[in-house]
Amino acid sequence: MAVIRDMIPPFELFQPAGVDDAVRLMREHGDKGWVLAGGLDTFDWFKDRIKRPEAVIDLGGVDELKGIAVADDGGLEIGAMTSLTDIAENGDVRSGYPLLADAAGLVATPQIRNQGTLGGNIVQDTRCWYYRSGWPCYRAGGNICYAATPRSMNREHCIMGASRCVAVNPSDTAPALIALDAEMVVASTSGERTYTAEDFFIGPDIDIMRMTVLEPGDLLTRIVLPAPWSGARWYFEKIRDRKAWDFSLVSVASMVNVEGGMIQDARIVVNGVAPCPVRATAAERAVRGRAPDDETGQAAGEIAVRGARALRHNDYKIALMRNLVKRSIRDAA
Amino acid sequence: MEVVRLRVNGDERVCGVPAHYTLLETLRYGLGLTGSKQGCDKGDCGACTVIVDGRAILSCITPVWEAEGREVRTVEGLANGTETHPVQDEFDLNGAAQCGFCTPGILCSSVALLDGNQSPTREEIRKALAGNLCRCTGYEKIYDAVEAAAARLGP
Ligand SMILES: Cc1cc2nc3c(=O)[nH]c(=O)nc-3n(C[C@H](O)[C@H](O)[C@H](O)COP(=O)(O)OP(=O)(O)OC[C@H]3O[C@@H](n4cnc5c(N)ncnc54)[C@H](O)[C@@H]3O)c2cc1C
Ligand code: SF4
């Protein structure tokens, strides 16, 4: 199919100065509008001329969406427009939430972290390359999944939780925010509402054309981290094809609370295996009351991959998930 | 056409460009600063790296209006008059450039690193340059050059 690349189709540009202005403009333009943060996901779509919004609403001038502040309860509030570099290097994030500092610091490249925002990293679209190349698949409003036919190239796709679409969520910060039990604050012209990070991401069973609960007109304004679990151990690891930079094949983020040598509580989140980051809740239950050792980790890994079903080219992801879950319990520090 | 006002390498520049132009397109096709390269044009290769307000960013994926009111530094602005920047010198002395296409972006990433950290470890250099692809050198000579430049600039 002929696609003209690298020439961005014209659009009307809006540069609101505040959240109120931004949500009003977003409502006005509905699904013909596009919110622009750092542009790393956005310009990829525009240059391929696959997404052609009429109006672009640039959040670059909305200062109230930038910055990191300590909340009254000892937690942290991070504006959606805060850059990934600022998060990875921030003292409060590093000391209280090293899991997030690590995840943000492992996204892409230094240049992309300098420009890319936390909000954009959370809301970014899937990287399924059929879809990104403009194939008219389910997610693009069509009636076929090109990644799930017998001849498809689906090494990067799902091993669980799929519903017609087998694409995965590419965000590295998403699993960390779920493990940390963060809250997402969303604004629209009808006011503000809050979601847990876990509920924020949705799969194709709920809506095949969206990755998150956000609908046209909804602006993610800030991410709220609860006060740090005192004494919690944490673990983040992403596995990628190249060492310099790459999207995750599978990533894991865990918080493990250990007292008297026994796990009291754990949150284990895996991304890259399902349409949205998944909590391994059965594994979390299984590790309670046990020592954070190799045996417990092994058991957790086995439980976490129960029900996983590989596509033609991605059975390696089952082993990756099993081992990452194991390490995330055994090696959490 | 939109009129954009940029501060590039210390100069005030004014230029008319289509509203959807990127910073890279403006630098290259509006201002004639063709040092910054258009490689993948998608944020993968780093050949378009420039320094904005002290940080390395990808000009191919930055809308030009985002750079207004900020300090833009490109490879053309690294030298001090006719005196090359120590990183440029060391690239020369260490054979760190072959075909040269990636070099402007790598110089900018290196200068952004050394402006904030004058004694980086080899690992810190590798990390700072992780977003710049080079298909010729195998990177080692580039790291050598940045190390040598750091030794010259350092405390
Ligand atoms: C070469 C390359 C490598 C990459 N590698 C990785 C990687 O290893 N790990 C990883 O996690 N990501 C990776 N990414 C993705 C990149 O990190 C994200 O695309 C980036 O963080 C998005 O942030 P942004 O601010 O640029 O968002 P934009 O591109 O501006 O926005 C992304 C999407 O989110 C929407 N959006 C943005 N902010 C808001 C908001 N506040 N409210 C509502 N909607 C909003 C936009 O409308 C758009 O749909 C990579 C991208 C590139 C180009
Ligand atoms: S996996 Fe999803 S995004 Fe990819 S081709 Fe199938 S339906 Fe489209």
Side-chain angles (χ1 to χ4, degrees):
Chain A
M1 119 194 36
V3 182
I4 302 169
R5 293 179 194 272
D6 301 330
M7 289 278 290
I8 301 176
F11 50 74
E12 199 174 352
L13 173 67
F14 295 92
Q15 296 176 289
V19 166
D20 290 350
D21 252 9
V23 293
R24 186 184 47 75
L25 285 162
M26 288 165 70
R27 187 195 153 100
E28 231 168 83
H29 295 279
D31 61 5
K32 304 215 163 38
W34 184 286
V35 176
L36 174 68
L40 273 322
D41 193 18
T42 300
F43 283 101
D44 195 49
W45 283 120
F46 290 5
K47 288 189 177 190
D48 280 349
R49 304 193 145 223
I50 293 165
K51 308 266 184 187
R52 297 161 172 248
E54 287 173 7
V56 169
I57 298 143
D58 173 19
L59 301 177
V62 188
D63 288 339
E64 58 191 296
L65 292 176
K66 291 176 196 160
I68 302 175
V70 179
D72 295 341
D73 67 350
L76 224 50
E77 298 209 350
I78 305 180
M81 285 294 288
T82 310
S83 78
L84 294 166
T85 299
D86 285 342
I87 290 165
E89 290 179 355
N90 178 275
D92 292 321
V93 177
R94 296 181 71 90
S95 60
Y97 313 88
L99 180 56
L100 179 61
D102 252 28
L106 281 167
V107 170
T109 65
Q111 294 97 317
I112 289 176
R113 294 193 293 275
N114 286 341
Q115 278 172 276
T117 64
L118 182 61
N121 191 261
I122 296 168
V123 184
Q124 64 174 310
D125 210 341
T126 180
R127 289 271 159 179
C128 167
W129 62 274
Y130 292 98
Y131 170 61
R132 300 288 297 205
S133 310
W135 293 54
C137 68
Y138 282 129
R139 189 170 285 280
N143 60 4
I144 182 175
C145 172
Y146 296 96
T149 75
R151 288 172 164 266
S152 301
M153 299 310 292
N154 46 30
R155 188 172 161 273
E156 290 80 18
H157 293 72
C158 279
I159 52 170
M160 53 178 61
S163 162
R164 294 167 296 155
C165 173
V166 295
V168 298
N169 181 305
S171 169
D172 286 325
T173 59
L177 292 170
I178 296 175
L180 290 165
D181 203 10
E183 282 190 340
M184 313 288 198
V185 183
V186 176
S188 72
T189 46
S190 27
E192 220 176 61
R193 48 194 212 280
T194 301
Y195 298 87
T196 64
E198 193 177 353
D199 291 339
F200 186 79
F201 301 94
I202 59 172
D205 49 342
I206 294 175
D207 188 340
I208 205 161
M209 294 173 78
R210 288 188 289 161
M211 304 288 289
T212 70
V213 294
L214 298 185
E215 298 204 53
D218 286 341
L219 177 73
L220 175 63
T221 56
R222 59 189 192 277
I223 294 87
V224 183
L225 303 175
W229 298 6
S230 56
R233 303 177 182 186
W234 60 272
Y235 193 86
F236 181 84
E237 186 172 359
K238 76 180 255 193
I239 302 292
R240 50 191 167 176
D241 279 327
R242 302 167 61 244
K243 246 167 91 184
W245 65 262
D246 215 334
F247 284 97
S248 294
L249 294 166
V250 179
S251 64
V252 68
S254 291
M255 290 282 282
V256 186
N257 225 345
V258 181
E259 268 170 46
M262 295 297 162
I263 298 172
Q264 304 299 310
D265 210 355
R267 290 172 73 88
I268 310 169
V269 189
V270 186
N271 205 7
V273 294
C276 44
V278 283
R279 257 183 86 183
T281 42
E284 290 173 1
R285 280 195 300 275
V287 300
R288 259 178 231 144
R290 298 177 62 168
D293 56 16
D294 193 72
E295 196 185 324
T296 306
Q298 186 74 35
E302 296 295 346
I303 293 170
V305 298
R306 263 186 212 156
R309 242 183 60 211
L311 299 163
R312 184 150 177 246
H313 294 291
N314 68 1
D315 59 349
Y316 75 97
K317 279 198 179 182
I318 298 180
L320 265 189
M321 178 173 179
R322 186 191 301 123
N323 287 331
L324 285 182
V325 168
K326 174 173 84 181
R327 288 186 205 168
S328 82
I329 294 298
R330 185 190 65 191
D331 303 335
Chain B
M1 286 286 180
E2 299 278 327
V3 175
V4 291
R5 282 162 215 285
L6 295 177
R7 224 180 128 70
V8 185
N9 300 325
D11 297 331
E12 303 290 343
R13 304 291 299 263
V14 183
C15 167
V17 294
H20 58 270
Y21 248 36
T22 61
L23 175 58
L24 178 66
E25 288 164 328
T26 308
L27 290 170
R28 288 181 62 85
Y29 310 125
L31 301 177
L33 294 171
T34 52
S36 309
K37 298 294 180 246
Q38 199 161 12
C40 70
D41 220 21
K42 284 293 190 61
D44 288 7
C45 75
C48 68
T49 303
V50 299
I51 305 170
V52 174
D53 286 350
R55 280 184 174 177
I57 60 116
L58 300 170
S59 61
C60 78
I61 216 149
T62 302
V64 62
W65 69 80
E66 296 285 3
E68 283 189 296
R70 302 168 77 186
E71 201 68 47
V72 182
R73 222 172 145 200
T74 69
V75 69
E76 289 91 346
L78 299 183
N80 184 3
T82 54
E83 198 183 311
T84 46
H85 190 283
V87 179
Q88 291 173 307
D89 271 351
E90 292 297 341
F91 264 60
D92 183 10
L93 296 172
N94 285 274
Q98 288 187 30
C99 88
F101 195 81
C102 67
T103 309
I106 297 190
L107 289 171
C108 286
S109 287
S110 305
V111 170
L113 167 71
L114 294 176
D115 279 351
N117 175 1
Q118 297 212 323
S119 38
T121 62
R122 189 102 173 163
E123 192 49 33
E124 284 170 333
I125 296 172
R126 292 172 79 96
K127 276 199 177 144
L129 300 185
N132 294 84
L133 298 187
C134 170
R135 298 293 84 170
C136 307
T137 63
Y139 300 103
E140 293 302 327
K141 291 188 174 181
I142 294 174
Y143 304 146
D144 291 344
V146 179
E147 263 179 2
R152 275 219 239 165
L153 286 163

